Amino acid sequence: MAGGMTFAQRRKALRRACAALEGLDAELWRAQGSELGPFMSLVDQVAQRAAAGQAAVLGEAIERGEAGDGTSGAHRWLREWAGSFHAGGSAQLVGVVEASREQRYAGLRTAVLAARLPVVNAACVVEEFERLRHRLHPEAHEAALDCMVGLGETAGRREIRAVRQRIVARYGHDGEFQADQDRLAERTSMSQPRADGGGLFDYHLVVDAEAKAVIEAAVGALSAPRPADGEPDRRPSGQRRLDALLDVVRRGVASAEGVATTTKAQLFVTMSLADLRAGLGAGTVVGSAETGTLLGPETVRRLSCDAGIVPVVLGERGEVLDWGRRVRLFTEAQTRALWLRDGGCTFPRCPAPAAWSDAHHLWHWADGGPSDLGNAALLCGRHHTLVHKRRYLGRVRGQRVEWDLSPGSYDLWLDSREAAAGDARARGSSEACPDGNAAGTGQAFDVWGEPVTGTDPAPPPPWRP
């Protein structure tokens, strides 16, 4: 049994293994074709065990002080005794061995020495975890590291790096994942057209996960090959995608004088109701080519206002709770009324027209806000993002939308509303409930605590803030 071999026996066996591999190419002609695959598997196992052996030997040399002082000493010792590292690669092995001496990397060390986790993957795990750990809840460090080690045993460095967002979304400090997405959103851009001199123009486009998901949801179906008159569609993929994007742009421009005649591209996002309400975790895109893309909680809350986005809210066991409150999204008739009432984006001094604005739930849908005109305001894409990011409060006053541009003003209002509702429940009365009836009076109030006076006045001309 290999586990019972002495050090001298192992040294002798390794010498035999080296001899067995030397000149192998000259003997392979004797093997049958069906034997090559299994033989390759055997050679691969030897290579994995050899890499694990290098880590074990270097670790022992460092522990005994044979490898000199510090990392530089380990590099010199390794290059002296392992000629294959003259060309490079010592940094990965030294880094993994040094890291595995720390208690938090005990599981990684076990996986490396058991030849389950390749050294190159282990180095990637250490690099990624050191980059992430200050952003994670301390009590979640072990789970996050176990996740990356397990992935490194079956996948490559690309997959280890790709799981970074999911780890931050699941184990990160509150708001960490959303802050990530906000930082990335600030780096998005679309260049001015650059002429190539031959009549073509080049654009450079940099987008974040949200923009990519929305673009693909709009372009994906339209870019499929479309045969015509029995002839196959011979357009290359890139040309079909551009034509699809132009179709989307033309539709948007054509609807400038009225509500668009076609629905927006639908983007399905799953997220637990608890996380959506608390603004934690992340939403996951499903049902499209972008399945698996993660979106920050505030991004999902903002998308919940948009009739082109359909959030699928799941319960604790993954069951669908609802697709919204039956008529959660603003209807076409409501949108027309908002265009008439608001005239365009209601954010102060914004000139964006109604055609380029979305209906926003002033009292957020995720917090229980209804989809009615008294709880709606038009916002352009930029200001829609800003209102959610800075948590601004907007209110409908008569036929105008007023904004409190104090950061966090929405949260202060929501806290006071919930406190008032709690007091009312404690008294067994609805007199303090902002959208209920005053006890014994029959007086109705709107969502802002204002008395409903009866028939609404005729809407004024479109108002521009």
Side-chain angles (χ1 to χ4, degrees), residues 197-208:
L200 294 177
F201 299 86
D202 177 69
Y203 285 89
H204 183 66
L205 190 66
V206 179
V207 300
D208 60 359

Side-chain angles (χ1 to χ4, degrees), residues 68-102:
D69 296 327
T71 302
S72 59
H75 281 290
R76 286 194 298 270
W77 187 88
L78 188 59
R79 285 192 291 267
E80 177 184 357
W81 292 104
S84 63
F85 289 99
H86 289 169
S90 63
Q92 284 185 335
L93 182 58
V94 171
V96 168
V97 172
E98 288 285 2
S100 64
R101 299 174 69 191
E102 300 180 31

Side-chain angles (χ1 to χ4, degrees), residues 253 258 289 329 337 368 460:
V253 174
L329 303 173

Side-chain angles (χ1 to χ4, degrees), residues 77-312:
W77 187 88
L78 188 59
R79 285 192 291 267
E80 177 184 357
W81 292 104
S84 63
F85 289 99
H86 289 169
S90 63
Q92 284 185 335
L93 182 58
V94 171
V96 168
V97 172
E98 288 285 2
S100 64
R101 299 174 69 191
E102 300 180 31
Q103 180 58 37
R104 66 171 171 267
Y105 287 116
L108 177 139
R109 181 177 185 273
T110 299
V112 169
L113 296 183
R116 298 196 310 269
L117 179 65
V119 170
V120 292
N121 284 4
C124 184
V125 169
V126 171
E127 177 187 354
E128 287 296 306
F129 185 73
E130 289 300 316
R131 180 181 297 174
L132 289 179
R133 66 188 179 95
H134 70 282
R135 304 174 60 194
L136 310 177
H137 290 290
E139 60 271 19
H141 284 183
E142 183 177 354
L145 190 53
D146 287 347
C147 172
M148 287 192 282
V149 169
L151 187 61
E153 293 180 5
T154 58
R157 287 173 290 179
R158 180 178 179 181
E159 288 77 11
I160 295 171
R161 293 190 177 100
V163 80
R164 181 190 309 163
Q165 284 191 324
R166 295 189 178 277
I167 289 178
V168 173
R170 182 170 182 179
Y171 301 116
H173 295 295
D174 294 352
E176 191 71 32
F177 181 67
Q178 183 65 52
D180 249 4
Q181 293 214 320
D182 291 344
R183 283 191 291 267
L184 292 175
E186 292 173 356
R187 296 168 55 188
T188 60
S189 66
M190 179 178 177
S191 70
Q192 295 290 336
R194 184 179 60 186
D196 71 346
L200 294 177
F201 299 86
D202 177 69
Y203 285 89
H204 183 66
L205 190 66
V206 179
V207 300
D208 60 359
E210 178 195 352
K212 175 173 175 281
V214 172
I215 290 172
E216 292 304 319
V219 169
L222 292 175
S223 62
R226 286 180 283 178
D229 297 328
E231 293 292 326
D233 189 344
R234 303 187 185 280
R235 295 175 299 165
S237 174
Q239 186 178 355
R240 294 199 309 271
R241 288 173 61 80
L242 176 60
D243 289 345
L245 180 60
L246 291 176
D247 283 343
V248 173
V249 172
R250 290 188 185 107
R251 290 182 188 183
V253 174
S255 66
E257 297 302 322
V259 178
T261 56
T262 57
T263 59
K264 297 181 180 180
Q266 290 188 340
L267 181 63
F268 291 88
V269 181
T270 65
M271 190 173 186
S272 73
L273 184 59
D275 283 350
L276 181 64
R277 286 176 171 168
L280 301 176
T284 305
V285 176
V286 297
S288 74
E290 294 305 299
T291 294
T293 298
L294 299 183
L295 300 178
E298 281 305 319
T299 301
V300 177
R301 288 169 69 92
R302 172 172 54 80
L303 296 181
S304 297
C305 295
D306 189 345
I309 309 298
V310 182
V312 182

